[in-house]
Amino acid sequence: MARLALLSVSNKTGLIDLARSLVEEFDFDLISSGGTAQALKDAGLPVTKVADYTGSPEILGGRVKTLHPRIHGGILARRDVPQDITDLENNQIRPIDLVVVNLYPFEETIAKPGVTLAEAVEQIDIGGPAMLRASSKNFAHLAVLCDPAQYDEYLQELRQNNGEASLEFRQKAALKGFSHTASYDQAIASYLARTQQYTLSGTQLQSLRYGENPHQPAAWYQTGTTPTGWTAATKLQGKELSYNNLVDLEAARRIIAEFTDTPAATIIKHTNPCGTALGSSIFEAYQKAFNADSVSAFGGIVALNRSIDAATASELTKTFLECVVAPSCDAEAEEILAKKSNVRILTLADLSSGPKDTVKAIAGGFLVQASDDVIADTNQWQVVTERQPTASELAELLFAWKVCKHVKSNAIVVTSDRTTLGVGGGQMNRVGSVKIALEQAGEKTKGAILASDGFFPFDDSVRTAATAGITAIVQPGGSLRDKDSIKAANELGLVMVLTGVRHFLH
């Protein structure tokens, strides 16, 4: 008797090619339900609908299709238990040798703006998880596939093992099946619980060499079933990514996501930008960012918001860098970068999308907050000084404010010509950060802009900035002594703008 495969998938990627190989190369019979059965029929493949196989029609608008003893008996039967085989024979149930199932797109549905609870509930799969769990449990006797990426490997298993998948493969596939249902159920629980319960799950992509330091074990996990963010990136060349690489890459992504309309480049060291700049081309933007602090750029992480071209690639090879990420990379640029084979070159088409929440572990639990993704709107800013900013100054203030948002508190950023000149961050007091940023900028502070992620508690930093040549300051405001800082700015002829939004980054 031919072997039997059950195919019921929401994501139909690779389905027809898999089914054709099963039928034509390995003599499988196919049973399927709903849209999957129609897709197979349209491709000219012989398929029996689940309803015809079980003798029970789909009911409740398709909510009940595969929940039937002829399906689950065929999946759960143990081929080495005589009573199980007798039960199959007595109930005219064929053993199922392969289950191919993936689930309704629940996570994709709830990610859509304005989705209702009723719409979300209808995307909670019931039959799919039941089949996945049953077939994963019985991996000793059948194979289960829940990801199109497994199809080729399964067919290769059949070709190499006289038409059988090895026990090792089946057990690995069962683990993926259980991981898939666990992640799916947690997504549903998180959505329904909302603020009452927060769940976090992931599938390990790889073990990392170590964490922040060699004595700390570490691993990289993917959330959800569909690769997004860094799990969807393509590594064109270079060594394996480290824990610190990934942390810095995410910091670089957050900064570069601030700039979409103009070519931009940022260079990160220890999650802080040592150089960020805009330019008329990505080549100019990178040059400006590098020259902002070429010493700190050594061993840095670079993010670009435009494709890497040959000219920019040549510049990138002139110094030691850990990683470079951009939306894409020209063929000629790839050849140039290949000369620096150890540099990790990644492409990630969507550099703007990030996590909606940030999570930090603490003793006895963890903290969750919404990501700081507030979009700066200069129309909401308040000019509190007698001198008004020019259009050029306002654009520079906006640039400085966007960069300052991504510097460790207390954060001070000095900029000019849409380029960072000095960055002071992570200090225990704001005065110290001001001094670091101004000293780093040096003589270039004449006519430059200064941004502060928090308010000035006293007017001393305003006076220090003015003495160095700063002409305009952007800060959130909110101090009881704001009037002292504003008075000093007026006295010294500065522009001061209050944003009303604080951007502490701990």
Side-chain angles (χ1 to χ4, degrees):
M1 181 183 292
R3 285 173 295 177
L4 187 60
L6 169 61
L7 287 69
S8 181
V9 294
S10 176
N11 177 3
K12 295 177 176 56
T13 302
L15 170 70
I16 302 305
D17 289 340
L18 171 66
R20 183 168 285 114
S21 292
L22 293 174
V23 171
E24 297 178 357
E25 193 174 348
F26 299 105
D27 196 32
F28 272 83
D29 287 341
L30 306 180
I31 57 175
S32 189
S33 62
T36 306
Q38 189 61 51
L40 295 172
K41 183 179 178 181
D42 291 344
L45 292 166
V47 58
T48 300
K49 290 185 176 180
V50 166
D52 294 333
Y53 175 73
T54 62
S56 296
E58 294 184 8
I59 62 173
L60 307 182
R63 280 190 166 197
V64 178
K65 291 178 284 194
T66 57
L67 298 171
H68 192 280
R70 291 201 79 191
I71 298 297
H72 285 273
I75 291 174
L76 286 165
R78 294 158 292 186
R79 316 297 169 81
D80 56 355
V81 176
Q83 185 59 53
D84 283 10
I85 301 303
T86 299
D87 287 343
L88 292 184
E89 293 171 350
N90 290 340
N91 291 279
Q92 297 181 311
I93 297 174
R94 289 178 62 180
I96 295 175
D97 299 277
L98 172 67
V99 174
V100 182
V101 174
N102 53 58
L103 308 178
Y104 294 169
F106 180 80
E107 290 180 278
E108 291 86 344
T109 298
I110 61 174
K112 296 176 182 177
V115 67
T116 65
L117 176 61
E119 289 169 335
V121 166
E122 285 307 308
Q123 291 302 317
I124 297 175
D125 203 329
I126 301 300
M131 289 187 290
L132 272 181
R133 288 177 57 81
S135 49
S136 295
K137 174 178 179 175
N138 206 28
F139 69 84
H141 302 284
L142 76 159
V144 56
L145 308 177
C146 63
D147 184 343
Q150 298 173 292
Y151 297 171
D152 286 342
E153 186 179 359
Y154 174 73
L155 292 173
Q156 195 62 29
E157 280 278 319
L158 298 185
R159 293 176 184 128
Q160 293 176 350
N161 298 296
N162 297 316
E164 298 290 339
S166 66
L167 178 61
E168 180 184 8
F169 173 85
R170 298 198 306 270
Q171 184 169 347
K172 181 175 71 172
L175 173 60
K176 190 172 182 69
F178 281 124
S179 297
H180 188 37
T181 57
S183 176
Y184 192 78
D185 284 342
Q186 285 206 331
I188 295 168
S190 295
Y191 175 76
L192 294 177
R194 309 291 174 89
T195 58
Q196 284 75 43
Q197 187 177 32
Y198 191 95
T199 57
L200 181 67
S201 68
T203 302
Q204 184 172 320
L205 288 181
Q206 65 184 78
S207 295
L208 300 173
R209 188 178 175 191
Y210 52 78
E212 287 181 298
N213 299 289
H215 62 275
Q216 294 173 267
W220 181 9
Y221 289 81
Q222 172 185 315
T223 56
T225 56
T226 303
T228 59
W230 297 109
T231 64
T234 299
K235 185 159 72 72
L236 302 180
Q237 68 171 56
K239 298 181 290 185
E240 289 297 318
L241 292 167
S242 71
Y243 180 96
N244 289 335
N245 289 158
L246 288 161
V247 171
D248 283 335
L249 280 166
E250 176 60 13
R253 185 202 62 75
R254 288 196 298 266
I255 290 183
I256 215 68
E258 296 281 354
F259 308 103
T260 55
D261 299 333
T262 305
T266 188
I267 306 173
I268 296 291
K269 288 293 286 293
H270 308 297
T271 72
N272 281 310
C274 56
T276 301
L278 307 184
S280 59
S281 66
I282 199 63
F283 172 76
E284 182 188 21
Y286 172 70
Q287 276 195 322
K288 290 169 67 177
F290 178 81
N291 292 332
D293 187 355
S294 58
V295 174
S296 297
F298 184 85
I301 305 289
V302 175
L304 310 170
N305 71 348
R306 297 290 188 274
S307 181
I308 307 173
D309 55 25
T312 307
S314 296
E315 287 296 303
L316 291 166
T317 62
K318 291 180 180 180
T319 191
F320 167 64
L321 298 170
E322 286 280 354
C323 306
V324 178
V325 63
S328 56
C329 183
D330 298 351
E332 187 179 356
E334 279 194 57
E335 291 183 16
I336 295 169
L337 292 166
K339 298 172 184 176
K340 292 275 191 175
S341 59
N342 285 335
V343 181
R344 303 160 179 90
I345 307 296
L346 294 92
T347 58
L348 180 57
D350 182 7
L351 283 165
S352 62
S353 297
K356 295 180 180 178
D357 299 325
T358 58
V359 182
K360 289 189 177 183
I362 61 172
F366 55 89
L367 306 175
V368 181
Q369 66 172 352
S371 294
D372 187 3
D373 54 7
V374 174
I375 298 173
D377 182 1
T378 56
N379 292 320
Q380 302 299 317
W381 291 3
Q382 180 184 9
V383 180
V384 292
T385 48
E386 296 167 0
R387 190 165 84 79
Q388 300 291 301
T390 65
S392 177
E393 283 178 321
L394 189 61
E396 191 72 44
L397 287 163
L398 179 60
F399 171 77
W401 182 245
K402 287 183 174 182
V403 176
C404 191
K405 173 182 176 181
H406 301 282
V407 177
K408 292 287 188 181
S409 296
N410 291 304
I412 298 292
V413 174
V414 175
T415 78
S416 180
D417 189 28
R418 315 304 187 272
T419 306
T420 56
L421 304 177
V423 178
Q427 300 304 301
M428 282 62 72
N429 64 75
R430 197 159 299 277
V431 173
S433 289
V434 169
K435 288 180 178 178
I436 290 171
L438 293 175
E439 287 175 6
Q440 188 180 55
E443 291 300 315
K444 295 179 181 179
T445 54
K446 306 300 181 184
I449 299 296
L450 183 146
S452 172
D453 68 340
F455 62 65
F456 294 108
F458 304 100
D459 67 1
D460 49 358
S461 290
V462 176
R463 296 183 180 280
T464 300
T467 300
I470 296 295
T471 61
I473 292 173
V474 57
Q475 54 126 330
S479 169
L480 294 175
R481 294 177 177 269
D482 275 349
K483 61 181 185 298
D484 294 340
S485 294
I486 295 168
K487 180 181 178 182
N490 280 325
E491 177 188 324
L492 299 164
L494 303 184
V495 169
M496 180 172 286
V497 176
L498 305 186
T499 67
V501 177
R502 191 185 73 182
H503 286 303
F504 279 0
L505 179 61
H506 286 85

